[in-house]
Every structure is written in structure tokens, then in C-alpha cells.
Amino acid sequence: MTLKNLRWLASIGVATTLVSSALAEKPTVKIDGSSTVYPLTEAVAEEFQKAKQGSINVTVGISGTGGGFKKFLRKETDISDASRPILQQEFDEARRQGIKFIELPVAFDALSVVVHPDNTWVDHLTTSELRLIWAPEAQGKITNWKQVRSTFPDQPLSLFGPGSDSGTFDYFTEVIVGKPKASRGDYMASEDDNVLVQGVSKDKGALGYFGYAYYVENRNRIKLVPIDAGKGPIEPSEDTVHNGTYSPLSRPLFIYVNAESLNRPEVAEFVEFYLDRIAELAKEVGYVPLPKDAYEKAKQRLKKRETGTIFHMHSEAGVTIEQLFQGQLHN
Amino acid sequence: MENMRQAIARRRRVDLIFHVLGAICTSVGIVTIALLLGFLIVKGANRISWEFFSSYPSRFPHKSGILPALVGSGLVMFVTSLLAIPIGIAAAIFLDEYAPRNWFSSLIELNITNLAGVPSIIYGLMALGVVVYWMGLGRSIAAAGITLALLILPIVITATREALRSIPREIREAAMAQGATRWQMVRHHLLPYSLSGIATGVIIALSRAIGETAPLITIGALSFIAFLPPAPIQSQPPFLSFEWLSSPFTVLPIQVFNWVSRPQPAFHEVAAAAAVVLIVFTLLLNSTAMILRKRARSRISW
């Protein structure tokens, strides 16, 4: 054997490199960030490359909202996917680096609270009942459905939710418990929402929460719980998200565009394409698009290159679509 | 007499118990792998087609393919082997045949053994700081190749040293007695005799590298990439291009990870199919290693 075989191994390596087709250096749009926003950006990137017949390259990474902003603030990316608005520290860092950005809401995600399909007793939950269940004080104490509401049966309560690195977790704890990341710790946590779906579908006493897309794909295995925030029980749907009644559990998703990158035609073209096509693509990947006029406002903001965030010093909890475009932009 | 029979019977019982226990333990491993592979094949088999290998990822599961991941994995492994194999073998030869035995060489040896036990994520963090930022290679194929090369270097070194040590002392002494220099002895005797052993170690190291995800995520492998790196051979002079080294990339394990976490069950089938491809690659590499080892044993006689 010996040298001959090694040469053979090496030629496999060479052959693999030859498979790569002949492409010269091309304009590239670099995107990274939230895994929640990823399916939206992936869909747009796919269509964009098709429309441009491969003359512009688009790369999309998944580093999480925080990880994406880190790269964005090092000027490694042109666009950052974010499932929450930019944080104060990130905003300060952008200012230090002299980075101007344009904040564009692109779609809505409705956090869905779900139970096992055989759960006949829950017809809705109020936000205060959710707080009772998920607050840090509930740890080890609220362990049975009958403790949640006196009419509920004597059935052990098992909880499923995203882990603490997730933007979904940050948002849910902020609007339900009142403080980001304040949650009981004795629940089954996973960064993979499919694990949560599995868990809820196999346990009669289960209660869980995650993004709407994961409910839609698993309707036959889990049951949606309408949420009452004081105005009667509401189920998440395109209508209830648009008219603002599925509040506070619907949240906007964003892309942040580096204003300097917009001087490059490929980036400008991509972002315009994004806002043109996202309404139709969002539905395909299981998200709720913004109303039409919201996209018009977003396009206006892009056209006028209005930089800054409206979330300076206050949180996004329960923000309405109008507010996304009315607030003062901070730079 | 009676006592002795009883004692023998008792020992036989213990022997039988261990026999059964050992068989159970062995089957745990085998059954797990068989189930895992079977489950993946059942789930993903009908996704595997020519289109699957030749398409880019897509938001539609049935249109999704692994082309950029396959090319990415191939190129990264190419860079990795180009670096790890020569450096690893040379280092092993130096340590075993040239280096004087003193506290310094023992220190180096100890460090190599320890490096083999460092979790791969640490290599990723180190590479992010040193290779990506300090060396300025960016989040590129070259950076990924270097990272994985460093990761498997200790394995290559250890395997090569094992292979060298299996060669009897007399061979070395005979060569030297004929007036051969150290390099002549290594070149004409040690290397040819130990090549199968070295190749086995190298392949096992590479099959570890091909499945690595953690260090590549830290240095920034991407999830969606619908283009291929620039080809290394161009139609215009100078014909050779190394641009692909600085290209962004994705690899198979990361593509699998991405698809598994999607809500649509159809994506989970695509993930299973890609996982089957990855496992088949790894098994192929490992069985090549096994064949080489077998040949090494049967070929060499002194």
C-alpha cells in the first residue's frame, strides 16, 4: 500500500476542491443574529439570490440576538437579526464605535401557551395566573393545577419553557413576571423548541410556551390556550396580533441595518427586497406579517435613512404596531 | 474434596455472571448505534437523492440540499489534513527519534497528552482570538481548517508515536550500524514500516474532525449559504486561485443542527438524511482505518 494510498487520499481532497464551481469574488451581504428571525431572513435570502441569479452572495448565521449584535458592533456584519430591540449596552457600544443603524420591524411572533390535548379543564388562563405559575416565588410551591385555579382538578403540573439564553425567555419573563429573566428554575428547559413540543405532547399535566410557528406545525399534538390580559381570553392569530388584542404575548421581530453598509448597492437592494417580499414570505415560514401600512412606514424609514432606535431607555413589552413608528428615534 | 468442588462451582458461577454482564454491556453500545442509524435511515432515506446532494438549503424542506455543507466540510478537511498530517508526523518523529531524553522533552510530551484531552470548544475560543482576529484570517475556511488541525494534532502525534514504537529497536540499530544517518533510517525504514499505523491514526483523527461542531460555531460557521467558494483552478492565468481559503462556509454537522431545530417535521427528515450522509462518511473513514491496520499486521514480518 503505502505512498500510493496516501496519494489517493490526497487526490480525494483535491477532487473535493474541484467540485466548487468557478465564481469570482462577488459582492456579499453579511447577516447574523437571532435564531427566531433566521427563517424569515433565510427565506428572503433564498428568493433574493434567485432573483439576482447568483450575482450577489448572501450569508446568514445564527449566533442569537446578543451574539449577532456583537458581530454587528464589530462591523463584521451588514445586518443583524434581532428578536428583541437593541439593549442599552449595545446601543452605547454602537455610539462609541460611531455605528449608525436603521431599525426595521419585519414581522410578529406570537408567544403561544400550550397544554396537552387531553387537558379538558383549561379553557383559558389569565396573565396573573401565568405569573403565579412562572414567578420565581412559585419554585417548588406551585406544583399542581388545582393551586392555579380552584376549579382545576388535582393534577400535577409539569412545566416546559425555553432556556435562559433565549430571547423568547427574556420576553416572556419580562411581560408576565415583570422583570426580564425572572423565572422559576424548576421546569424542563430547552433551547430547542421541538424538545418542548415533545414534552408537552407526552404529559397530561403539561404547560409550556414557545413561538407560534412551533404550535402551527404541531396542532394535532398540542392544544393552544387563550390568554386573558383583562379584556377576555384571546387566542393568537394574525387578526389578534394585528389589532393588538393578543397582548402582551405578541412581540415584534427586527432587522438592524448598518447605515454605512447601505451605501453599498447590494445591501440597499437586499433590504428593499426584504421589505417588499417579507409580508408574503413571513406567512410561509409560520410568522405573522406586519399590516401593509407598517411595511410602507418601514420603507419610508429606510428611504429617508432614519437611523436610531425607539426603544431607548424603555422596554418593548406590549408595544403596538403604531408605536413602532411613532416613537422618537434615538441615536 | 466436597469443599473443593463447591469452590470450583462458585468460581464458575462468578465467571458465568461476568460473561453475561460483559455481553450485556457490549450490546448496549452496539444496539444503541444500530437503533440510532436505523431510526435515521427510516426517517431520512426517502430524502436522499441526487438533488439532495446538488441543492442549496431552502425554506422548503423538499428543495433543501447539502451542497454548500458538503463542499464546506470537504474543503475544511482538506486544509486540516494538509496541516495536521505533516506537522503531526514530523513532530512525532522528532520526539521519538531525535529529541534528547530530558526534562524538557518530557514536559512537551506531557503537554501533548494533556492537549488531547482539552474540550473542543476551548480550541474554538482560542481560534476565535488568535486565528480569526489576531492573525486576521476572518471567519473563513482557512481559519476553520487551522482550528481543526490544532484540535487533531495531538491525536496524530500520539498515533504516529505508537506506530514508531512498535518497530523493534534492532531495525534502528541495524540501519545505524550500516552507516545510515538518522534521517536515512527514518526515511527508508521507520516511515515505510509504520505507514499503515500512522495512516490509521490520521484517519481516526480526521473522522473526529469531520463531526466537530462546537469550535466551528465559535469561529463563525454560517447556517445559510447559497453559493460555493471560488474554485481553486481558474480558466485564466495564473490558473490557480487560493481565494476559496478566505471564503465563508458551513459544514455538515451545523447544517444538521440547524434543520433539527426547525418547527416543520419535514425539516427533521432532511436533517436525518444529512445525518445519515455524515455517519456514512465517518464509518467509511473508520473502516478504511480498520483495513489499513489489518494489512499492516499481515504484511510486515522481520
Side-chain angles (χ1 to χ4, degrees), chain B residues 8-42:
Chain B
I8 289 173
R10 202 167 53 238
R11 282 172 206 147
R12 288 230 169 105
R13 249 195 326 274
V14 172
D15 188 48
L16 183 73
I17 289 171
F18 183 78
H19 188 125
V20 173
L21 212 64
I24 291 173
C25 292
T26 312
S27 54
V28 167
I30 294 175
V31 168
T32 315
I33 290 177
L35 277 179
L36 189 69
L37 197 56
F39 177 74
L40 286 176
I41 289 174
V42 167

PDB file of all heavy atoms in Angstrom, chain B residues 8-42:
ATOM      1  N   ILE B   8     -14.974 -24.621  43.250  1.00  0.00           N
ATOM      2  CA  ILE B   8     -14.860 -24.523  41.788  1.00  0.00           C
ATOM      3  C   ILE B   8     -16.190 -24.083  41.181  1.00  0.00           C
ATOM      4  O   ILE B   8     -16.260 -23.195  40.325  1.00  0.00           O
ATOM      5  CB  ILE B   8     -14.410 -25.877  41.192  1.00  0.00           C
ATOM      6  CG1 ILE B   8     -12.949 -26.109  41.577  1.00  0.00           C
ATOM      7  CG2 ILE B   8     -14.589 -25.896  39.686  1.00  0.00           C
ATOM      8  CD1 ILE B   8     -12.453 -27.486  41.196  1.00  0.00           C
ATOM      9  N   ALA B   9     -17.279 -24.690  41.684  1.00  0.00           N
ATOM     10  CA  ALA B   9     -18.601 -24.322  41.171  1.00  0.00           C
ATOM     11  C   ALA B   9     -18.863 -22.835  41.378  1.00  0.00           C
ATOM     12  O   ALA B   9     -19.413 -22.153  40.509  1.00  0.00           O
ATOM     13  CB  ALA B   9     -19.684 -25.151  41.872  1.00  0.00           C
ATOM     14  N   ARG B  10     -18.455 -22.342  42.537  1.00  0.00           N
ATOM     15  CA  ARG B  10     -18.676 -20.934  42.847  1.00  0.00           C
ATOM     16  C   ARG B  10     -17.921 -20.049  41.842  1.00  0.00           C
ATOM     17  O   ARG B  10     -18.461 -19.095  41.291  1.00  0.00           O
ATOM     18  CB  ARG B  10     -18.223 -20.651  44.269  1.00  0.00           C
ATOM     19  CG  ARG B  10     -18.885 -19.408  44.854  1.00  0.00           C
ATOM     20  CD  ARG B  10     -18.700 -19.294  46.365  1.00  0.00           C
ATOM     21  NE  ARG B  10     -17.323 -19.386  46.768  1.00  0.00           N
ATOM     22  CZ  ARG B  10     -16.866 -20.308  47.633  1.00  0.00           C
ATOM     23  NH1 ARG B  10     -17.687 -21.196  48.163  1.00  0.00           N
ATOM     24  NH2 ARG B  10     -15.598 -20.335  47.972  1.00  0.00           N
ATOM     25  N   ARG B  11     -16.659 -20.425  41.606  1.00  0.00           N
ATOM     26  CA  ARG B  11     -15.865 -19.606  40.681  1.00  0.00           C
ATOM     27  C   ARG B  11     -16.444 -19.654  39.282  1.00  0.00           C
ATOM     28  O   ARG B  11     -16.446 -18.665  38.565  1.00  0.00           O
ATOM     29  CB  ARG B  11     -14.422 -20.100  40.673  1.00  0.00           C
ATOM     30  CG  ARG B  11     -13.681 -19.597  41.896  1.00  0.00           C
ATOM     31  CD  ARG B  11     -12.326 -20.201  42.041  1.00  0.00           C
ATOM     32  NE  ARG B  11     -11.950 -20.189  43.441  1.00  0.00           N
ATOM     33  CZ  ARG B  11     -11.192 -21.120  44.011  1.00  0.00           C
ATOM     34  NH1 ARG B  11     -10.736 -22.135  43.304  1.00  0.00           N
ATOM     35  NH2 ARG B  11     -10.882 -21.026  45.274  1.00  0.00           N
ATOM     36  N   ARG B  12     -16.952 -20.840  38.909  1.00  0.00           N
ATOM     37  CA  ARG B  12     -17.565 -20.947  37.583  1.00  0.00           C
ATOM     38  C   ARG B  12     -18.772 -20.019  37.477  1.00  0.00           C
ATOM     39  O   ARG B  12     -19.019 -19.387  36.450  1.00  0.00           O
ATOM     40  CB  ARG B  12     -18.005 -22.386  37.317  1.00  0.00           C
ATOM     41  CG  ARG B  12     -16.816 -23.295  37.068  1.00  0.00           C
ATOM     42  CD  ARG B  12     -17.026 -24.103  35.800  1.00  0.00           C
ATOM     43  NE  ARG B  12     -15.799 -24.773  35.436  1.00  0.00           N
ATOM     44  CZ  ARG B  12     -15.601 -26.091  35.617  1.00  0.00           C
ATOM     45  NH1 ARG B  12     -16.563 -26.831  36.134  1.00  0.00           N
ATOM     46  NH2 ARG B  12     -14.465 -26.619  35.263  1.00  0.00           N
ATOM     47  N   ARG B  13     -19.543 -19.974  38.605  1.00  0.00           N
ATOM     48  CA  ARG B  13     -20.728 -19.103  38.608  1.00  0.00           C
ATOM     49  C   ARG B  13     -20.323 -17.642  38.393  1.00  0.00           C
ATOM     50  O   ARG B  13     -20.897 -16.933  37.583  1.00  0.00           O
ATOM     51  CB  ARG B  13     -21.487 -19.262  39.923  1.00  0.00           C
ATOM     52  CG  ARG B  13     -22.816 -19.951  39.751  1.00  0.00           C
ATOM     53  CD  ARG B  13     -23.764 -19.816  40.930  1.00  0.00           C
ATOM     54  NE  ARG B  13     -23.188 -19.772  42.246  1.00  0.00           N
ATOM     55  CZ  ARG B  13     -22.882 -20.857  42.987  1.00  0.00           C
ATOM     56  NH1 ARG B  13     -23.071 -22.073  42.496  1.00  0.00           N
ATOM     57  NH2 ARG B  13     -22.401 -20.723  44.194  1.00  0.00           N
ATOM     58  N   VAL B  14     -19.292 -17.235  39.153  1.00  0.00           N
ATOM     59  CA  VAL B  14     -18.806 -15.855  39.019  1.00  0.00           C
ATOM     60  C   VAL B  14     -18.380 -15.591  37.580  1.00  0.00           C
ATOM     61  O   VAL B  14     -18.693 -14.557  36.986  1.00  0.00           O
ATOM     62  CB  VAL B  14     -17.636 -15.595  39.990  1.00  0.00           C
ATOM     63  CG1 VAL B  14     -17.004 -14.236  39.705  1.00  0.00           C
ATOM     64  CG2 VAL B  14     -18.127 -15.667  41.417  1.00  0.00           C
ATOM     65  N   ASP B  15     -17.692 -16.596  37.008  1.00  0.00           N
ATOM     66  CA  ASP B  15     -17.234 -16.467  35.637  1.00  0.00           C
ATOM     67  C   ASP B  15     -18.420 -16.274  34.685  1.00  0.00           C
ATOM     68  O   ASP B  15     -18.421 -15.392  33.823  1.00  0.00           O
ATOM     69  CB  ASP B  15     -16.454 -17.717  35.241  1.00  0.00           C
ATOM     70  CG  ASP B  15     -15.802 -17.536  33.881  1.00  0.00           C
ATOM     71  OD1 ASP B  15     -15.170 -16.481  33.685  1.00  0.00           O
ATOM     72  OD2 ASP B  15     -15.961 -18.411  33.015  1.00  0.00           O
ATOM     73  N   LEU B  16     -19.461 -17.095  34.910  1.00  0.00           N
ATOM     74  CA  LEU B  16     -20.649 -17.015  34.060  1.00  0.00           C
ATOM     75  C   LEU B  16     -21.317 -15.645  34.193  1.00  0.00           C
ATOM     76  O   LEU B  16     -21.712 -15.024  33.209  1.00  0.00           O
ATOM     77  CB  LEU B  16     -21.638 -18.123  34.438  1.00  0.00           C
ATOM     78  CG  LEU B  16     -22.879 -18.178  33.555  1.00  0.00           C
ATOM     79  CD1 LEU B  16     -22.521 -18.739  32.177  1.00  0.00           C
ATOM     80  CD2 LEU B  16     -23.977 -19.028  34.190  1.00  0.00           C
ATOM     81  N   ILE B  17     -21.414 -15.189  35.467  1.00  0.00           N
ATOM     82  CA  ILE B  17     -22.049 -13.890  35.709  1.00  0.00           C
ATOM     83  C   ILE B  17     -21.309 -12.803  34.937  1.00  0.00           C
ATOM     84  O   ILE B  17     -21.901 -11.970  34.264  1.00  0.00           O
ATOM     85  CB  ILE B  17     -22.079 -13.558  37.222  1.00  0.00           C
ATOM     86  CG1 ILE B  17     -23.084 -14.477  37.909  1.00  0.00           C
ATOM     87  CG2 ILE B  17     -22.450 -12.098  37.452  1.00  0.00           C
ATOM     88  CD1 ILE B  17     -23.053 -14.395  39.418  1.00  0.00           C
ATOM     89  N   PHE B  18     -19.963 -12.834  35.000  1.00  0.00           N
ATOM     90  CA  PHE B  18     -19.222 -11.796  34.293  1.00  0.00           C
ATOM     91  C   PHE B  18     -19.415 -11.922  32.781  1.00  0.00           C
ATOM     92  O   PHE B  18     -19.552 -10.918  32.086  1.00  0.00           O
ATOM     93  CB  PHE B  18     -17.729 -11.855  34.618  1.00  0.00           C
ATOM     94  CG  PHE B  18     -16.996 -10.743  33.936  1.00  0.00           C
ATOM     95  CD1 PHE B  18     -17.059  -9.460  34.457  1.00  0.00           C
ATOM     96  CD2 PHE B  18     -16.322 -10.944  32.744  1.00  0.00           C
ATOM     97  CE1 PHE B  18     -16.445  -8.413  33.807  1.00  0.00           C
ATOM     98  CE2 PHE B  18     -15.712  -9.900  32.085  1.00  0.00           C
ATOM     99  CZ  PHE B  18     -15.769  -8.633  32.619  1.00  0.00           C
ATOM    100  N   HIS B  19     -19.460 -13.160  32.316  1.00  0.00           N
ATOM    101  CA  HIS B  19     -19.675 -13.397  30.888  1.00  0.00           C
ATOM    102  C   HIS B  19     -20.965 -12.711  30.414  1.00  0.00           C
ATOM    103  O   HIS B  19     -20.993 -11.942  29.448  1.00  0.00           O
ATOM    104  CB  HIS B  19     -19.756 -14.911  30.643  1.00  0.00           C
ATOM    105  CG  HIS B  19     -19.791 -15.290  29.204  1.00  0.00           C
ATOM    106  ND1 HIS B  19     -18.907 -16.158  28.634  1.00  0.00           N
ATOM    107  CD2 HIS B  19     -20.603 -14.899  28.205  1.00  0.00           C
ATOM    108  CE1 HIS B  19     -19.162 -16.298  27.358  1.00  0.00           C
ATOM    109  NE2 HIS B  19     -20.202 -15.536  27.067  1.00  0.00           N
ATOM    110  N   VAL B  20     -22.054 -12.974  31.161  1.00  0.00           N
ATOM    111  CA  VAL B  20     -23.352 -12.403  30.806  1.00  0.00           C
ATOM    112  C   VAL B  20     -23.313 -10.876  30.910  1.00  0.00           C
ATOM    113  O   VAL B  20     -23.764 -10.154  30.013  1.00  0.00           O
ATOM    114  CB  VAL B  20     -24.462 -12.978  31.711  1.00  0.00           C
ATOM    115  CG1 VAL B  20     -25.777 -12.254  31.467  1.00  0.00           C
ATOM    116  CG2 VAL B  20     -24.603 -14.468  31.481  1.00  0.00           C
ATOM    117  N   LEU B  21     -22.735 -10.404  32.000  1.00  0.00           N
ATOM    118  CA  LEU B  21     -22.660  -8.963  32.226  1.00  0.00           C
ATOM    119  C   LEU B  21     -21.899  -8.275  31.095  1.00  0.00           C
ATOM    120  O   LEU B  21     -22.318  -7.250  30.560  1.00  0.00           O
ATOM    121  CB  LEU B  21     -21.941  -8.706  33.561  1.00  0.00           C
ATOM    122  CG  LEU B  21     -22.384  -7.478  34.343  1.00  0.00           C
ATOM    123  CD1 LEU B  21     -23.835  -7.636  34.771  1.00  0.00           C
ATOM    124  CD2 LEU B  21     -21.489  -7.284  35.562  1.00  0.00           C
ATOM    125  N   GLY B  22     -20.772  -8.889  30.733  1.00  0.00           N
ATOM    126  CA  GLY B  22     -19.964  -8.329  29.654  1.00  0.00           C
ATOM    127  C   GLY B  22     -20.731  -8.281  28.347  1.00  0.00           C
ATOM    128  O   GLY B  22     -20.697  -7.281  27.625  1.00  0.00           O
ATOM    129  N   ALA B  23     -21.464  -9.374  28.078  1.00  0.00           N
ATOM    130  CA  ALA B  23     -22.250  -9.416  26.841  1.00  0.00           C
ATOM    131  C   ALA B  23     -23.293  -8.307  26.832  1.00  0.00           C
ATOM    132  O   ALA B  23     -23.509  -7.634  25.817  1.00  0.00           O
ATOM    133  CB  ALA B  23     -22.914 -10.781  26.697  1.00  0.00           C
ATOM    134  N   ILE B  24     -23.938  -8.103  27.988  1.00  0.00           N
ATOM    135  CA  ILE B  24     -24.960  -7.046  28.067  1.00  0.00           C
ATOM    136  C   ILE B  24     -24.319  -5.684  27.804  1.00  0.00           C
ATOM    137  O   ILE B  24     -24.816  -4.881  27.015  1.00  0.00           O
ATOM    138  CB  ILE B  24     -25.656  -7.058  29.439  1.00  0.00           C
ATOM    139  CG1 ILE B  24     -26.517  -8.327  29.567  1.00  0.00           C
ATOM    140  CG2 ILE B  24     -26.532  -5.822  29.617  1.00  0.00           C
ATOM    141  CD1 ILE B  24     -27.109  -8.524  30.940  1.00  0.00           C
ATOM    142  N   CYS B  25     -23.195  -5.445  28.468  1.00  0.00           N
ATOM    143  CA  CYS B  25     -22.531  -4.145  28.300  1.00  0.00           C
ATOM    144  C   CYS B  25     -22.149  -3.914  26.843  1.00  0.00           C
ATOM    145  O   CYS B  25     -22.326  -2.817  26.316  1.00  0.00           O
ATOM    146  CB  CYS B  25     -21.283  -4.067  29.168  1.00  0.00           C
ATOM    147  SG  CYS B  25     -21.677  -4.022  30.914  1.00  0.00           S
ATOM    148  N   THR B  26     -21.618  -4.951  26.203  1.00  0.00           N
ATOM    149  CA  THR B  26     -21.232  -4.805  24.801  1.00  0.00           C
ATOM    150  C   THR B  26     -22.446  -4.474  23.943  1.00  0.00           C
ATOM    151  O   THR B  26     -22.408  -3.587  23.095  1.00  0.00           O
ATOM    152  CB  THR B  26     -20.602  -6.116  24.279  1.00  0.00           C
ATOM    153  OG1 THR B  26     -19.646  -6.543  25.235  1.00  0.00           O
ATOM    154  CG2 THR B  26     -19.963  -5.910  22.930  1.00  0.00           C
ATOM    155  N   SER B  27     -23.546  -5.193  24.207  1.00  0.00           N
ATOM    156  CA  SER B  27     -24.710  -4.996  23.337  1.00  0.00           C
ATOM    157  C   SER B  27     -25.340  -3.619  23.545  1.00  0.00           C
ATOM    158  O   SER B  27     -25.966  -3.086  22.632  1.00  0.00           O
ATOM    159  CB  SER B  27     -25.734  -6.106  23.551  1.00  0.00           C
ATOM    160  OG  SER B  27     -26.052  -6.187  24.914  1.00  0.00           O
ATOM    161  N   VAL B  28     -25.161  -3.030  24.733  1.00  0.00           N
ATOM    162  CA  VAL B  28     -25.704  -1.682  24.939  1.00  0.00           C
ATOM    163  C   VAL B  28     -25.160  -0.732  23.877  1.00  0.00           C
ATOM    164  O   VAL B  28     -25.913  -0.024  23.211  1.00  0.00           O
ATOM    165  CB  VAL B  28     -25.360  -1.153  26.353  1.00  0.00           C
ATOM    166  CG1 VAL B  28     -25.637   0.338  26.450  1.00  0.00           C
ATOM    167  CG2 VAL B  28     -26.169  -1.886  27.404  1.00  0.00           C
ATOM    168  N   GLY B  29     -23.845  -0.786  23.693  1.00  0.00           N
ATOM    169  CA  GLY B  29     -23.230   0.083  22.698  1.00  0.00           C
ATOM    170  C   GLY B  29     -23.701  -0.228  21.292  1.00  0.00           C
ATOM    171  O   GLY B  29     -24.128   0.658  20.549  1.00  0.00           O
ATOM    172  N   ILE B  30     -23.661  -1.515  20.955  1.00  0.00           N
ATOM    173  CA  ILE B  30     -23.996  -1.901  19.580  1.00  0.00           C
ATOM    174  C   ILE B  30     -25.456  -1.606  19.261  1.00  0.00           C
ATOM    175  O   ILE B  30     -25.780  -1.036  18.214  1.00  0.00           O
ATOM    176  CB  ILE B  30     -23.678  -3.398  19.363  1.00  0.00           C
ATOM    177  CG1 ILE B  30     -22.159  -3.589  19.460  1.00  0.00           C
ATOM    178  CG2 ILE B  30     -24.204  -3.869  18.032  1.00  0.00           C
ATOM    179  CD1 ILE B  30     -21.731  -5.022  19.395  1.00  0.00           C
ATOM    180  N   VAL B  31     -26.340  -1.990  20.202  1.00  0.00           N
ATOM    181  CA  VAL B  31     -27.773  -1.783  19.967  1.00  0.00           C
ATOM    182  C   VAL B  31     -28.073  -0.292  19.818  1.00  0.00           C
ATOM    183  O   VAL B  31     -28.839   0.119  18.945  1.00  0.00           O
ATOM    184  CB  VAL B  31     -28.610  -2.406  21.113  1.00  0.00           C
ATOM    185  CG1 VAL B  31     -30.057  -1.951  21.036  1.00  0.00           C
ATOM    186  CG2 VAL B  31     -28.526  -3.917  21.040  1.00  0.00           C
ATOM    187  N   THR B  32     -27.435   0.539  20.648  1.00  0.00           N
ATOM    188  CA  THR B  32     -27.676   1.975  20.555  1.00  0.00           C
ATOM    189  C   THR B  32     -27.318   2.499  19.173  1.00  0.00           C
ATOM    190  O   THR B  32     -28.103   3.210  18.532  1.00  0.00           O
ATOM    191  CB  THR B  32     -26.843   2.740  21.605  1.00  0.00           C
ATOM    192  OG1 THR B  32     -26.953   2.053  22.834  1.00  0.00           O
ATOM    193  CG2 THR B  32     -27.326   4.157  21.762  1.00  0.00           C
ATOM    194  N   ILE B  33     -26.119   2.130  18.704  1.00  0.00           N
ATOM    195  CA  ILE B  33     -25.691   2.618  17.392  1.00  0.00           C
ATOM    196  C   ILE B  33     -26.618   2.108  16.299  1.00  0.00           C
ATOM    197  O   ILE B  33     -27.048   2.865  15.421  1.00  0.00           O
ATOM    198  CB  ILE B  33     -24.236   2.187  17.106  1.00  0.00           C
ATOM    199  CG1 ILE B  33     -23.298   2.974  18.025  1.00  0.00           C
ATOM    200  CG2 ILE B  33     -23.869   2.438  15.657  1.00  0.00           C
ATOM    201  CD1 ILE B  33     -21.860   2.601  17.886  1.00  0.00           C
ATOM    202  N   ALA B  34     -26.977   0.814  16.391  1.00  0.00           N
ATOM    203  CA  ALA B  34     -27.852   0.231  15.373  1.00  0.00           C
ATOM    204  C   ALA B  34     -29.204   0.934  15.356  1.00  0.00           C
ATOM    205  O   ALA B  34     -29.732   1.291  14.294  1.00  0.00           O
ATOM    206  CB  ALA B  34     -28.028  -1.262  15.628  1.00  0.00           C
ATOM    207  N   LEU B  35     -29.766   1.157  16.553  1.00  0.00           N
ATOM    208  CA  LEU B  35     -31.059   1.838  16.639  1.00  0.00           C
ATOM    209  C   LEU B  35     -30.971   3.240  16.062  1.00  0.00           C
ATOM    210  O   LEU B  35     -31.828   3.678  15.294  1.00  0.00           O
ATOM    211  CB  LEU B  35     -31.517   1.919  18.100  1.00  0.00           C
ATOM    212  CG  LEU B  35     -32.218   0.684  18.657  1.00  0.00           C
ATOM    213  CD1 LEU B  35     -32.593   0.908  20.113  1.00  0.00           C
ATOM    214  CD2 LEU B  35     -33.461   0.359  17.839  1.00  0.00           C
ATOM    215  N   LEU B  36     -29.920   3.950  16.452  1.00  0.00           N
ATOM    216  CA  LEU B  36     -29.743   5.328  16.013  1.00  0.00           C
ATOM    217  C   LEU B  36     -29.681   5.401  14.494  1.00  0.00           C
ATOM    218  O   LEU B  36     -30.411   6.164  13.856  1.00  0.00           O
ATOM    219  CB  LEU B  36     -28.446   5.864  16.625  1.00  0.00           C
ATOM    220  CG  LEU B  36     -28.187   7.343  16.457  1.00  0.00           C
ATOM    221  CD1 LEU B  36     -29.159   8.130  17.286  1.00  0.00           C
ATOM    222  CD2 LEU B  36     -26.768   7.680  16.870  1.00  0.00           C
ATOM    223  N   LEU B  37     -28.832   4.558  13.935  1.00  0.00           N
ATOM    224  CA  LEU B  37     -28.654   4.567  12.496  1.00  0.00           C
ATOM    225  C   LEU B  37     -29.951   4.141  11.799  1.00  0.00           C
ATOM    226  O   LEU B  37     -30.390   4.773  10.836  1.00  0.00           O
ATOM    227  CB  LEU B  37     -27.496   3.629  12.121  1.00  0.00           C
ATOM    228  CG  LEU B  37     -26.903   3.823  10.728  1.00  0.00           C
ATOM    229  CD1 LEU B  37     -26.447   5.257  10.548  1.00  0.00           C
ATOM    230  CD2 LEU B  37     -25.737   2.879  10.504  1.00  0.00           C
ATOM    231  N   GLY B  38     -30.577   3.082  12.330  1.00  0.00           N
ATOM    232  CA  GLY B  38     -31.825   2.589  11.749  1.00  0.00           C
ATOM    233  C   GLY B  38     -32.895   3.668  11.770  1.00  0.00           C
ATOM    234  O   GLY B  38     -33.577   3.932  10.763  1.00  0.00           O
ATOM    235  N   PHE B  39     -33.025   4.323  12.883  1.00  0.00           N
ATOM    236  CA  PHE B  39     -34.012   5.380  13.049  1.00  0.00           C
ATOM    237  C   PHE B  39     -33.778   6.511  12.042  1.00  0.00           C
ATOM    238  O   PHE B  39     -34.703   6.969  11.367  1.00  0.00           O
ATOM    239  CB  PHE B  39     -33.905   5.908  14.479  1.00  0.00           C
ATOM    240  CG  PHE B  39     -34.806   7.059  14.792  1.00  0.00           C
ATOM    241  CD1 PHE B  39     -36.162   6.860  14.955  1.00  0.00           C
ATOM    242  CD2 PHE B  39     -34.290   8.338  14.939  1.00  0.00           C
ATOM    243  CE1 PHE B  39     -36.994   7.920  15.247  1.00  0.00           C
ATOM    244  CE2 PHE B  39     -35.112   9.396  15.227  1.00  0.00           C
ATOM    245  CZ  PHE B  39     -36.467   9.191  15.380  1.00  0.00           C
ATOM    246  N   LEU B  40     -32.509   6.907  11.910  1.00  0.00           N
ATOM    247  CA  LEU B  40     -32.180   7.990  10.973  1.00  0.00           C
ATOM    248  C   LEU B  40     -32.475   7.576   9.539  1.00  0.00           C
ATOM    249  O   LEU B  40     -33.006   8.360   8.755  1.00  0.00           O
ATOM    250  CB  LEU B  40     -30.703   8.368  11.107  1.00  0.00           C
ATOM    251  CG  LEU B  40     -30.326   9.166  12.346  1.00  0.00           C
ATOM    252  CD1 LEU B  40     -28.833   9.382  12.391  1.00  0.00           C
ATOM    253  CD2 LEU B  40     -31.045  10.511  12.353  1.00  0.00           C
ATOM    254  N   ILE B  41     -32.133   6.314   9.219  1.00  0.00           N
ATOM    255  CA  ILE B  41     -32.333   5.866   7.839  1.00  0.00           C
ATOM    256  C   ILE B  41     -33.818   5.814   7.516  1.00  0.00           C
ATOM    257  O   ILE B  41     -34.268   6.317   6.489  1.00  0.00           O
ATOM    258  CB  ILE B  41     -31.656   4.494   7.610  1.00  0.00           C
ATOM    259  CG1 ILE B  41     -30.138   4.675   7.598  1.00  0.00           C
ATOM    260  CG2 ILE B  41     -32.118   3.876   6.298  1.00  0.00           C
ATOM    261  CD1 ILE B  41     -29.358   3.392   7.532  1.00  0.00           C
ATOM    262  N   VAL B  42     -34.613   5.252   8.436  1.00  0.00           N
ATOM    263  CA  VAL B  42     -36.057   5.175   8.206  1.00  0.00           C
ATOM    264  C   VAL B  42     -36.625   6.575   7.998  1.00  0.00           C
ATOM    265  O   VAL B  42     -37.437   6.833   7.116  1.00  0.00           O
ATOM    266  CB  VAL B  42     -36.754   4.488   9.408  1.00  0.00           C
ATOM    267  CG1 VAL B  42     -38.264   4.695   9.343  1.00  0.00           C
ATOM    268  CG2 VAL B  42     -36.415   3.014   9.434  1.00  0.00           C
TER     269      VAL B  42
END
